[in-house]
Amino acid sequence: MTVSVTNKAPELCMPKVMGILNVTPDSFSDGGQFSNINNALAQVEKMIEDGALIIDIGGESTRPGAKDVSVTDELSRVIPLLKAIKSRFKVDISIDTSKAEVMAQAIEQGADIINDVRALQNKNCLKVLAQTNIPICLMHMQGLPRTMQAEPKYDDVISDIKSFFRQRIIACDSAGISKDRLILDPGFGFGKSLVQNFQLLANFSQFQSFGLPLLAGISRKSMIGKLLNTEVDQRLAGSLSAAIIAAQQGANIIRVHDVKETVDALRVLQAVNSNNF
Ligand code: 9MG
């Protein structure tokens, strides 16, 4: 799996669409319907047909207020599904986890990316990843899912997140993880108020200064729901608009629930930006 930052102007590269597959009983937007393996495989097939190039599998809910999940439970949700997908489909698989044991087993079973909302700050994560060679998404989160939306505070949300990324890049480098394996994600909705989330979206291009691929995950999030006063199943238009705004500012990967609609929207953007109709 490669996600490169090319010499092309960002608007000429079509971002990769990462389809979300939550295999948790309490996911905020798909309500646990993919915790059954056959449903999950059917959803993967559909997302691939719709144009997803990466599938992000998550066995721990990271929604605000979510409870911790044991290693055993997370492994039992993620690993059999990962094996089943790998034996049937040719698609890159990202594993959304913050646990070193899950990372290690997932990589052994062929995971192509580790997506860590805790940016490898948990015990042994740096060590496990240093022994491998796959890309890692480092996401910014203030606080922890249980409490993160209580009262998020920043001096300046953009500079504070940039400074967090600088620290994590140094921590990775010291542990033996080279910078060219890293993907950065400011973590929309993770310890950010509505205003802070929209400041991040408006200034997303600033994170290009690291010269690393960028991931944006805004799909169906409460920043869309609060702005538009819509329930989770009525957030498609808002999610597509946000995806396009992030793509225009250099996002290389867009993490979404609605793959087909996002791919279509990105194709329109790309046609206009590259003058290729
Ligand atoms: C797991 N997960 C939920 N939201 C996410 C986001 O915005 N980015 C990344 N990398 N992972 C996320």
Side-chain angles (χ1 to χ4, degrees):
M1 149 81 201
T2 49
V3 184
S4 58
V5 183
T6 69
N7 294 330
K8 282 192 203 170
E11 62 272 16
L12 297 182
C13 315
M14 170 99 171
K16 293 190 180 194
V17 169
M18 170 188 263
I20 301 171
L21 188 68
N22 284 317
V23 287
T24 53
D26 62 340
S27 153
F28 84 98
S29 70
D30 41 37
Q33 59 181 310
F34 304 123
S35 28
N36 161 312
I37 201 153
N38 290 326
N39 290 354
L41 288 172
Q43 175 67 357
V44 169
E45 187 167 22
K46 179 171 185 317
M47 290 197 287
I48 295 171
E49 278 168 15
D50 288 347
L53 295 179
I54 308 169
I55 306 292
D56 189 42
I57 305 178
E60 178 205 26
S61 175
T62 48
R63 62 184 292 183
K67 294 203 182 97
D68 293 342
V69 174
S70 70
V71 177
T72 317
D73 283 352
E74 198 176 322
L75 283 171
S76 71
R77 290 173 187 174
V78 169
I79 301 298
L81 180 60
L82 170 61
K83 284 189 189 170
I85 297 174
K86 278 280 162 191
S87 68
R88 286 168 179 78
F89 305 107
K90 248 187 155 323
V91 67
D92 282 333
I93 300 295
S94 153
I95 300 295
D96 150 23
T97 186
S98 297
K99 296 188 179 71
E101 297 88 338
V102 178
M103 291 176 186
Q105 288 204 32
I107 295 168
E108 211 175 293
Q109 297 303 330
D112 300 281
I113 307 177
I114 294 297
N115 172 26
D116 185 1
V117 299
R118 295 177 183 81
L120 305 188
Q121 293 177 96
N122 277 359
K123 196 165 171 219
N124 290 333
C125 290
L126 287 166
K127 196 167 145 202
V128 164
L129 268 296
Q131 288 155 13
T132 72
N133 210 15
I134 67 170
I136 304 149
C137 178
L138 300 178
M139 199 199 76
H140 173 271
M141 164 163 57
Q142 187 179 91
L144 290 171
R146 199 188 283 268
T147 52
M148 65 189 176
Q149 288 310 103
E151 217 183 322
K153 280 204 179 63
Y154 297 87
D155 289 333
D156 172 307
V157 70
I158 311 291
S159 353
D160 290 6
I161 294 176
K162 278 187 167 181
S163 138
F164 171 80
F165 285 150
R166 274 191 290 276
Q167 287 165 27
R168 295 315 297 155
I169 292 169
I170 292 170
C172 285
D173 185 61
S174 310
I177 299 171
S178 60
K179 190 177 166 189
D180 60 5
R181 293 175 57 193
L182 303 178
I183 300 166
L184 302 179
D185 177 350
F188 290 96
F190 284 84
K192 283 115 191 160
S193 67
L194 182 64
V195 170
Q196 290 154 357
N197 278 312
F198 277 93
Q199 284 172 340
L200 274 186
L201 184 56
N203 293 284
F204 191 84
S205 62
Q206 289 206 30
F207 298 107
Q208 285 186 37
S209 62
F210 288 93
L212 292 176
L214 300 175
L215 188 151
I218 311 167
S219 179
R220 299 187 190 171
K221 285 195 175 163
S222 68
M223 62 184 277
I224 306 290
K226 280 187 193 154
L227 184 82
L228 303 179
N229 195 17
T230 50
E231 290 304 318
V232 77
D233 60 348
Q234 296 298 316
R235 296 179 188 169
L236 177 60
S239 302
L240 294 177
S241 312
I244 294 302
I245 295 167
Q248 265 187 308
Q249 294 184 72
N252 304 84
I253 303 177
I254 312 278
R255 183 180 182 276
V256 300
H257 301 86
D258 304 290
V259 172
K260 180 164 185 349
E261 293 83 352
T262 309
V263 170
D264 283 352
L266 289 170
R267 285 178 60 193
V268 173
L269 175 69
Q270 205 204 11
V272 170
N273 281 343
S274 61
N275 205 15
N276 184 7
F277 318 113

